Amino acid sequence: MSTATINSWCLTSLSQAQSPQNKATLRPSISARLNSPASPAPPNLIQNKPVFAAPAPIITPTWREDMGNGSYDEAVEGLRKLLREKANLEPVAAAKIDQITAQLKSSDGSSSPFDPVERMKTGFIYFKKEKYDKNPALHAELAKGQSPKFMVFACSDSRVCPSHVLDFQPGDAFVVRNVANMVPAYDKIRYSGVGSAVEYAVLHLKVEHIVVIGHSSCGGIKGLMSFPFDGTSSTDFIEDWVKIGLPAKSKVVAECGDLPFPEQCAYCEKEAVNVSLGNLLSYPFVREGLVKKTLTLKGGYYDFVKGTFELWGLDFGLSPSFSV
Amino acid sequence: MAALRPSSVSFDSSVSGPTNSFMGLLHKSPIFDSRKKLVRVGETHLGSLPSVKRNLVSRLEASSDSLGCGQHLMSNKMGNEMESLDKTDQGLDFFEELKHRFLCFKKQKYLEEPEHFQALAKAQSPKFMVIACADSRVCPSNILGFQPGEAFMIRNVANLVPPVENGPSETNAALEFAVNTLEVENILVIGHSSCAGIETLVRMRDDVNSSSFVENWVANGKVAKLRTKAAAGHLGFYQQCKYCEKESINHSLLNLLTYPWIEDRERKGLLSIHGGYYDFLNCTFEKWTIDFKRSSIEKEGPKCLVKNRAFWC
């Protein structure tokens, strides 16, 4: 559903049917993933064609138990060995191996296996030394309480954290992150998660701005545009969640249905932000804040392909009444 | 329903903020074109990094240089200058502030590593899924230094994970995506000190149906509250809260295991589940990992047994 499984196959994922016992940090996959005719083509591929464009049978690696245990050098060697056995793929694969190796070396100088705990510890120690200890006054204030001016809805996508994209420091923004940065309409039973965040931010923290930020290449929106929503369901929970954005899909299909799928997704990413802004209006305390002008609603769109950020506002008001 | 209609309102800095209009009119406002005072609304967006002209209002002048990031809001905290701002300027101020923030990011991160960001633009392959509180003080990108592409993140009130039997929610939709599609290797639930959501949970009455969203949501942590009352009910309120903050993390970790595809991957060693607790009073971080083989979720009582405890300070 996301571009991830298709594009990062060379690093992480295998075909869904396979479950190797142990995955090494780097798992070069050599199985070609073909799109089924029913689903639309994914908007992004590393190249604009499947890497192994062999019409011949899909290559599935025969995994040995120990294949995933070693370093990436061993993994690459294993791949090379397998390809020697399938000589017709060698030129294509060789080019890909060089590309993968270069990418991996450039992103991670060492070839030691990834240690998540060490990664977290390094990050925390850096934060403590470079941020916390260097701003004692700020953090002393924050320890007593928070008073952020912003409430931000952002996608859970690892590439769009508002702390990076909008440089939010501790104390700046109350941030909710979920798939496709959706805000559902007021529903105390079904959507108490989002509702509790909005309620707390508006009534208790008294934030001044609520910003809903969408982004490019959103897997959740792509799912929204792809799923049929005809009563069948291929996921346990994802379809149920992204269906909040169905009004956006309807509008995009009606107005831009002739455009290529990736462009429709891009329109839907922005239109879904507007649907979320509209849903925010279903919360009475939000409406009240807007009318009293203690609160503003904003929509945003971060395009990480182009490196751009768009921002727009929702105006809400009640015109003076008159009676006849 | 509001229609998305870019309106061609143009204004300069002498005019008050975006014009008020009637219900639900969406308009695009100018951003990121600091070279012109008179800006046309429309499809304006930042295409490349312009030379940024100092066009910031007084409260941002605490910045040491034209792209001084991270310090500008300290002046807000210190001086409460926001209250003295004229309301009519707030619309423009908001856009200016966000523009400034985005340009900081673009200059200091995005343009510094173009190849990395190009690769990320094609695909993400984070190794972590993080569930953290929405609290403004505890963003994992700050406290654990997660960089773009490293962590798929859910943030909700009190970093709660409801069990599978509660039905669909935003938390389990994200879990499903992270585990089944992105195939993350680590799930980390991070709680923190002085969590208002947990405080509400400990404080609230259990026998009354609540009309508040927050109480309805934090009721997902009721089991943690019961365990807290049983083990620490004799302690003071704030100590009970602290106990409950950690107990709630463990309860969320066990709730993760109620999802069959999570339990399956844990059992196969493809996935590790960690808990973390950030104390921002002392700036310490505790971390532990579920010992899957020894934990259980039988009906007699869920047990969360852990290993590899660490304490960083």
Side-chain angles (χ1 to χ4, degrees):
Chain A
M1 194 180 71
S2 144
T3 52
T5 50
I6 297 167
N7 296 307
S8 59
W9 60 266
C10 56
L11 290 180
T12 59
S13 68
L14 299 172
S15 128
Q16 298 256 341
Q18 294 165 329
S19 305
Q21 286 296 323
N22 288 300
K23 278 190 176 180
T25 307
L26 309 161
R27 302 180 290 268
S29 159
I30 61 166
S31 63
R33 185 186 292 269
L34 300 177
N35 295 319
S36 70
S39 65
N44 293 306
L45 286 174
I46 293 174
Q47 304 168 13
N48 277 330
K49 58 184 190 300
V51 175
F52 294 107
I58 293 171
I59 310 301
T60 52
T62 51
W63 287 91
R64 299 189 304 275
E65 280 298 310
D66 59 347
M67 197 161 176
N69 286 340
S71 67
Y72 92 90
D73 289 307
E74 293 175 6
V76 169
E77 182 48 41
L79 176 62
R80 286 203 167 105
K81 177 173 182 293
L82 197 55
L83 288 164
R84 280 195 290 277
E85 298 162 7
K86 309 275 178 185
N88 56 323
L89 293 177
E90 190 178 345
V92 182
K96 197 63 199 169
I97 289 168
D98 288 340
Q99 182 187 343
I100 295 170
T101 312
Q103 279 176 359
L104 292 169
K105 276 191 172 149
S106 67
S107 64
D108 176 10
S110 72
S111 58
S112 53
F114 177 74
D115 182 347
V117 175
E118 207 45 49
R119 174 65 192 85
M120 285 158 47
K121 182 176 177 184
T122 308
F124 178 71
I125 300 297
Y126 177 86
F127 163 73
K128 184 173 170 107
K129 285 200 178 123
E130 300 300 322
K131 300 266 174 88
Y132 193 96
D133 290 343
K134 289 191 178 174
N135 290 295
L138 169 65
H139 286 95
E141 284 297 306
L142 292 179
K144 295 180 200 158
Q146 54 169 336
S147 56
K149 300 270 181 286
F150 297 95
M151 173 180 194
V152 175
F153 282 92
C155 186
S156 295
D157 193 300
S158 62
R159 301 165 283 192
V160 304
C161 180
S163 297
H164 295 128
V165 178
L166 293 176
D167 194 39
F168 285 124
Q169 300 304 308
D172 286 351
F174 189 77
V175 177
V176 173
R177 293 181 71 182
N178 60 43
V179 169
N181 42 274
M182 299 270 186
V183 182
Y186 185 106
D187 187 328
K188 226 174 248 173
I189 308 300
R190 278 224 61 200
Y191 297 125
S192 59
V194 172
S196 61
V198 180
E199 180 184 86
Y200 186 70
V202 174
L203 294 181
H204 298 270
L205 296 180
K206 298 187 180 8
V207 297
E208 296 175 13
H209 309 284
I210 301 182
V211 192
V212 180
I213 305 176
H215 71 96
S216 50
S217 308
C218 182
I221 297 296
K222 187 183 157 199
L224 169 66
M225 292 296 289
S226 308
F227 295 135
F229 294 105
D230 56 1
T232 63
S233 175
S234 54
T235 64
D236 291 346
F237 306 112
I238 297 174
E239 278 156 288
D240 199 89
W241 175 250
V242 299
K243 74 173 193 264
I244 293 167
L246 273 176
K249 176 177 181 176
S250 306
K251 182 175 161 129
V252 167
V253 167
E255 295 183 4
C256 317
D258 51 329
L259 292 179
F261 185 73
E263 285 182 51
Q264 291 186 41
C265 285
Y267 275 107
C268 195
E269 283 152 5
K270 297 183 190 180
E271 198 53 42
V273 169
N274 291 332
V275 169
S276 291
L277 292 175
N279 285 340
L280 276 167
L281 295 177
S282 67
Y283 294 80
F285 35 87
V286 171
R287 285 200 302 273
E288 200 181 318
L290 290 172
V291 168
K292 288 183 181 166
K293 300 202 190 303
T294 53
L295 186 65
T296 73
L297 295 189
K298 300 286 190 276
Y301 183 75
Y302 169 45
D303 186 333
F304 50 60
V305 181
K306 298 177 191 163
T308 62
F309 196 98
E310 280 179 67
L311 195 58
W312 62 95
L314 171 77
D315 280 346
F316 177 87
L318 300 174
S319 54
S321 62
F322 65 91
S323 51
V324 182
Chain B
M1 176 71 180
L4 175 59
R5 267 186 294 135
S7 59
S8 56
V9 172
S10 58
F11 62 93
D12 62 23
S13 55
S14 63
V15 172
S16 63
T19 54
N20 287 329
S21 52
F22 298 106
M23 259 204 217
L25 173 68
L26 287 164
H27 67 275
K28 294 213 174 185
S29 294
I31 46 161
F32 312 143
D33 195 354
S34 61
R35 285 168 294 189
K36 301 181 194 154
K37 279 210 159 176
L38 187 68
V39 186
R40 178 152 288 278
V41 174
E43 298 306 309
T44 309
H45 57 268
L46 179 65
S48 60
L49 185 66
S51 56
V52 176
K53 220 174 137 184
R54 284 301 302 277
N55 191 18
L56 305 172
V57 296
S58 58
R59 69 187 166 86
L60 294 178
E61 279 176 13
S63 307
S64 56
D65 56 38
S66 63
L67 283 174
C69 309
Q71 300 300 315
H72 46 261
L73 281 190
M74 276 187 73
S75 65
N76 273 344
K77 289 269 174 258
M78 300 305 166
N80 288 324
E81 293 164 58
M82 199 57 156
E83 275 74 42
S84 64
L85 274 177
D86 186 19
K87 287 268 185 209
T88 56
D89 288 334
Q90 274 189 0
L92 273 179
D93 293 341
F94 172 86
F95 289 106
E96 281 298 325
E97 180 170 350
L98 285 215
K99 173 178 88 176
H100 180 74
R101 290 176 174 282
F102 177 69
L103 291 179
C104 275
F105 158 71
K106 184 154 181 174
K107 181 179 172 175
Q108 294 183 353
K109 289 213 158 89
Y110 190 91
L111 292 175
E112 289 292 314
E113 297 177 85
E115 281 143 12
H116 175 58
F117 279 92
Q118 271 172 35
L120 275 186
K122 292 178 180 139
Q124 58 168 334
S125 56
K127 297 223 182 321
F128 290 92
M129 169 164 192
V130 178
I131 295 140
C133 187
D135 193 301
S136 64
R137 301 165 282 191
V138 302
C139 178
S141 298
N142 287 323
I143 62 177
L144 291 179
F146 287 121
Q147 296 304 304
E150 287 193 306
F152 189 82
M153 214 179 287
I154 267 260
R155 291 184 70 184
N156 62 33
V157 168
N159 43 273
L160 293 170
V161 179
V164 66
E165 50 264 22
N166 281 22
S169 73
E170 69 268 32
T171 308
N172 47 33
L175 280 172
E176 186 179 2
F177 186 74
V179 173
N180 291 346
T181 304
L182 297 180
E183 294 180 336
V184 295
E185 297 167 9
N186 300 279
I187 302 182
L188 172 62
V189 178
I190 305 177
H192 69 96
S193 54
S194 307
C195 182
I198 297 295
E199 193 176 314
T200 304
L201 171 66
V202 174
R203 195 193 296 276
M204 74 191 210
R205 289 181 56 182
D206 297 325
D207 52 347
V208 179
N209 275 337
S210 176
S211 61
S212 129
F213 266 109
V214 175
E215 291 189 359
N216 271 306
W217 170 249
V218 297
N220 280 309
K222 213 181 288 184
V223 168
K225 175 179 180 173
L226 292 172
R227 293 166 81 87
T228 298
K229 292 291 186 192
H234 57 288
L235 299 176
F237 176 75
Y238 289 106
Q239 281 145 322
Q240 289 185 46
C241 285
K242 198 172 182 91
Y243 191 99
C244 194
E245 282 153 6
K246 295 188 185 179
E247 196 58 48
S248 163
I249 299 169
N250 284 336
H251 181 59
S252 290
L253 297 181
L254 286 176
N255 282 344
L256 284 171
L257 292 174
T258 63
Y259 294 88
W261 18 270
I262 292 184
E263 201 220 351
D264 189 54
R265 292 178 76 84
E266 246 279 18
R267 192 182 314 111
K268 290 176 178 166
L270 302 174
L271 183 62
S272 299
I273 298 179
H274 315 271
Y277 181 80
Y278 171 50
D279 181 338
F280 50 62
L281 190 58
N282 305 309
C283 196
T284 60
F285 195 93
E286 253 181 277
K287 165 259 147 202
W288 58 96
T289 303
I290 270 203
D291 188 343
F292 179 75
K293 292 186 177 57
R294 291 166 56 223
S295 296
S296 61
I297 43 175
E298 280 104 34
K299 290 286 180 255
E300 297 88 60
K303 285 191 296 180
C304 182
L305 294 171
V306 299
K307 60 181 181 181
N308 300 341
R309 264 194 194 280
F311 185 85
W312 307 323
C313 57

